[in-house]
Amino acid sequence: MSRFKSSFLLFLLLFSAYESIASEDIVQVSEEFTEALLLRPLPDRKVLAHFHFQSTAPPTRTYGRHHHLFPKSIYQLVHKFKVREMELSFTQGRWNYERWGGYDPISNSNAKPPGVELWADFDVPQHQVEDSWKNLTHALSGLFCASINFLEQSTSYSAPQWSFQSVSGKLRYGTLPREAVCTENLTPWLKLLPCRDKAGLSSLMDRPSIYRSYYHSQRLHLRSDEFDTSKTSTGIVLEQTLTVVLQPNTFSGKTSQLSWSLSSLFGRKVGGKCSLSNSSNVYVQFEQSLVSKVKELREKRESSKNEILMHEGFQNNPLFELSLPPKRIIKEVEKLTKEGSILYEFSVEDYDESEPFDLGLSWKVPVFWSCQQAPLRTSRFLLGSGNERGAIAISMKSTESNNVERSGRDDKECWLRVGIFQVVPWYVKVYYHTLEVFLDGEPQHTVDNVEKIHVSPSEDKVSPGVMEIVLRLPCSVSTAALTLEFDKGFLHIDEYPPDANQGFDIPSAVVRFNDFLTNISFDDNSLKRVPILSKLEENIPVLSYTEVLLVPLTTPDFSMPYNVITITCTIFALYFGSLLNALRRRVGEEERLLREKAAKKMGPLTLMLSKLSAKLRRKQWEPPKPSSSRKSVINKKLILKVLLVAGIAVAWQYYFQ
Amino acid sequence: MATGSGQPAQPKSWQIPVFYQKATAKTATDLATTSYFESRTQRLKSSAVVEYRARGSEKLDADRRATMAETEPVVKPKPRPIIRIGLFLISHSLFVSVVCCTAGILALLLLPALAKNTYISENALMPGSASPRLSHIDASEGQNFVNRILNLDSEAIKTGIEIPELIAKHMVELGGEVNYHKFQPISTKFHPLHFFLGPDAGVIQENYSCSSYGINTVGIIRAPRGDGKEAIVMVTPYNSVKITTGQAFSLGVAYSVFSLLARVTWLAKDIIWLAADSKHGEYAAVAEWLRDYNALSFGDLKLYPEICGVNTSPVCTTSQVKEGAISDGFRRAGTMAAALVIKVADSSTEFEKDVLNIYAEASNGQMPNLDLINIVNYFAVGQGLRVRVEKIWSLLDSWLLNSLGELIELLGKVATSLNPQGGFGIPVADYVEGSATLASSLYNQALGVPTGPHGAFRDYQVDAITMEISPKFYATESFLFLLYVGRLVEGVIRSVNNLLEKFHQSFFLYLLTSPSRFVSVGVYMIAFALLIAPLPLVAAALCSDASKTKLGKDKVPETAPHRESVPTFTSWKWLYAAKTVLVVHLWSAVVTLLPYFLYQIPNSSPSTNLLIWITLSVLSLFFAYELSGSFSFFSTSPPQRSEWALLKSVTVAVAFIGLCLMSVINFATAEIGALLLVPMCLTAVPLRHNLKVNTTRALVRGACHMLLVFVGFPPTAFLLLKGASDGFGNVICSFILQLKEANGYLVQVFVALPLSLIESMFA
């Protein structure tokens, strides 16, 4: 107890000391943890749930190395490998850009390629970057129980020049498309939270319901300016998000939207906030197209009923009803002519175990709407057939949002800049000179449409091929396509991965719309203090990931090596045997020797027999021809042997059957 | 022996190397000086041939002559055993070839008895490890769907887009991603049959109208947690203009499975349902879709093209599903793992059970992986269907096969009594059925024409089969029918979905004798090898024969030096024969390819085409004659046995090589080709020989040869059979056509070989 007291006193002392220092700084210095959950109904009767946890640690210079909330492992990671920024994501399933949207901040920052994606920017001298990357992959591999260490090999990661924000050249990027994501990856991720999944919003994370989701992506984003010498450093910001797309249990008809509640989605309720978190909010977001639908409907109803609307509340919403009253309603600033989206904020702080938080949404009218799309919808596929060559095609198709954006700009000199970042493993030998651009089905001069391009061709067994390209497309384009031809390489037998007959993956390409930035801006400046909302307000580039491709390569029959070995050995034996025979044997000499031997060693019995037979035939006895005698002897011996073996076999058969 | 002639003054000792010196020290002492001896050995080490030749030369002690031509060994060296065996076989080539040929044919007939039971080789398939989930609700929805389609059909269909629209609407309701694929069958494709017989009615339509577009409807279910790298394809061909009840039921089966798969959570691969518009043939629709799937397509995929003027009717626009649900782009879903073509035949009453027919042969005799057939068989048997593979029905009543089957059954009994472990015996009925299936399997593979739309998938290395279900009464029990066929399809898809790798475990080269029995490549190759084994023997025998007689004749021109032919190059003589054969082959290749080029000429009737073809062929024959210098059958010199023997030996050798190559490409074609060619090759003898002898036996033999050659010669056979029976003739037509399209090489052999045989006959 006394020890506790003393430590408490020490803490107070320290705290007061810090307070005095902090008073000098503008920024408040203390560790912070916030949690938030954003729910959004999706057009195809699914619900997006986006958990957002943020921990911040003040800079070591002012705060020291001791942390209460911030995970120690991450702090050590940052310091050991001098990570400036890092993002790690584990994803299962595909983000459906068409149905779930591709333009809003959440889909742009949380839609990730299947498997593991990792990129990291280091604050080390250029020559140490590779080492830092390798060590980091191993550390993360251990930390998250995943085979991230496979990204250590130089064939699996790349150094993008300008496709990512960083231009330092110290950024490394790698993906593992085949990594299976499971609960064993989630548990270490939850361990980084101060309340784990015992309290607060993370207690909703019921494993079966999360892994039953249509899309599941857990992400860890790390930003530190620990190593900046400037004064305005914010320390380390650890942002952990879990994005799941859930389908409420279907019992009703097929077409209408489904009502849901937290307990029906997750099978659990929230029993209060995590007491260590500064804020614990739940938001329900309605997209702008849905909001405009609501408005339409309301206007219609107004005109029909001539009713005066009291205020924009949730109660008299003609479309849906929320089971709990929101704490406040946050409206997005209207852009151009469009209606902004609406966020309903709920605070979990008011609820506890006895009265758990269970938000529900029920639809009053069947409603159809669509999400805002990225300017171009991209898809990537393989062309050609056979085991020799093929082509990768990235096709882009314009969506309506493109038109909307275009209408706001002046029509002259309207260009759409599309950056594509594509990593191809070395065994798919891409010929970059075969790059062809098609606009609306017509092949184009590549030079006219490529603004800048950076290609580093693959090197066999050393590095993957990386292509970064910025296409400049006219805004009026409706379809654009890009093709690259490749040859399928051969691998050495021990380079084949397990289950080689499945084929080989080409990781997702990243398509970035450079001129498009997305954010949700709010009027109220006080909202900036809530991390999830400030995150939404940040301008982030619109990007989308393409599908992972599966290239069937020629695979050997893996039992074949044995066949090959045996055949090769047989051929070698035959060849060398006959060669040696030809080299060594001298048939003439051998025959002469044998003849001499035969002449010398003709047994008395044979001699007598031959003489006898000669006498019987009344012929002159002559010494037998050596070759013939030898032959006859051999033949007799052979016959004798054969007879002996046959006899033994017969006896064996007779006695033992 | 350049070494020998290069050292003319050397003593005899050069034959003995130094490491042999000790053993023959006595011999070595009375030889030349040691210093020279050692210098020689250096050379000898580098040349094994010299040593080898030395073996017979100890008798030549006194002989100082240098040229090896005169160092004729007195004792002929005994050749190696393998060479001795070869010589023995060549000297008894007649007997050996008769034995081998008979053995080959017998082995072919034995194949049904040697067939093994199939087994599921890939453990990951795990067929039947989960109970079927297709519920009564799904089946009844499928039934409703069928009724809706049939109702639609009973109304007047004008544009042919009502059914695709209906299907698309239902696909969207189930949550699939839908697009239409509009295609036009390629009309300018060369078709050899049309060249000779004129175009079929209704095939060539010069100006395509709107209704001539086929419209495939493609629905894709994305696997909920899959990575979208692989897909399983379900194909239901139907005629959008006039849909039959069977086709409607196949759509119903696919719909009920699709509605189940839209809900399930176990999907790892995307599911593609291709409702293929078989207005222009089932194969064409699927092939066109696959072609666009594997190519960059910018086609206008809108259902209502503006030019057509169909869309203006407001009924169509209202009937369309909600905006944007059906995309106008081409949708793809990764690499295809397997494809199932589901067809329902119109009801048959010939069996007590519903029958599932499996069609597997793709183009050029390629087969899907045996595991795919195995799992279909497994589930079909589980659902109480009777599984069948196509067979030639007429063979079932053949007394020859029946008696052979009895013989084999008897043999099997004897074998079983001797060795109870070895299960060789096979009942007569099984044997006959197995041979009929095997014959059909061989025939279809040899033909190289796909037996259904699944053939289009094999061209893209996707394993696919067609399941044709002939229900007994689907009119009365349509609900049950949909239920169990749906469960069958669900089971197969679930098994394929379990696969982590693509099909690779089981056999790709096999012949089916029944749905659950197969003959693998290791077994059927024996029959083929036995069948063609006589060819090289006969060629070698004829060659050695020819060289012997030539040697005998060479002594004659020495006495009469006015003949300036080059008799010293007797070993090169075969090159002339080879040249002749090559020229004949080239000519036949030209003749075979000519129709294709003639077809490009616009506005030409088949009869003029035929005339041009014949004249060009004759002209090219004369050109070839000029090229080769002399064809033996135009030469006026008296026939020499050696010449035709060499010619025949080269022809036979070429046939052997051709058949061997063909067996690698398409076994069945090679096997049938061997059955036709080998007897021909073995028996062909110049006609003049027969005529000279002038006995009735020789005449009969000659007539037989002519008959064989004529039957073997495809155009003749084609014409004969065409005249004989129309139905069977068509089959042969397609056989020849396919041969021409796919198996170019064998056609050449087929055309050229009888020609060269005829030539050798007239020599």
Side-chain angles (χ1 to χ4, degrees), chain A residues 92 94 98-99 211-214 254 381 383-385 387 441 483 499 501-502 505 550 583 586 588-589, chain B residues 19-20 24 51 55 174 223-226 228-230 270 294-295 298 331-332 335 500-502 504:
Chain A
Q92 197 182 49
R94 292 158 280 172
E98 202 177 324
R99 293 183 180 174
Y211 286 100
R212 209 189 295 129
S213 63
Y214 282 66
K254 283 177 175 176
F381 46 91
L383 305 179
S385 65
N387 279 331
T483 59
D499 305 324
N501 273 298
Q502 192 190 356
D505 295 325
L550 189 69
L583 281 173
R586 245 147 306 277
E589 281 299 314
Chain B
F19 53 80
Y20 209 62
T24 56
E51 292 174 36
R55 66 195 167 182
L174 291 177
R225 280 175 298 283
K229 293 189 287 195
E230 285 172 292
D270 294 353
N294 286 294
F298 299 104
R331 287 181 187 274
R332 292 175 174 81
T335 314
L500 190 62
E501 307 176 78
K502 64 181 182 193
H504 72 284

Side-chain angles (χ1 to χ4, degrees), chain A residues 1-17:
Chain A
M1 196 62 203
S2 62
R3 205 168 157 188
F4 174 76
K5 259 185 188 167
S6 62
S7 66
F8 185 67
L9 273 173
L10 197 72
F11 178 74
L12 271 181
L13 248 167
L14 277 170
F15 194 74
S16 59

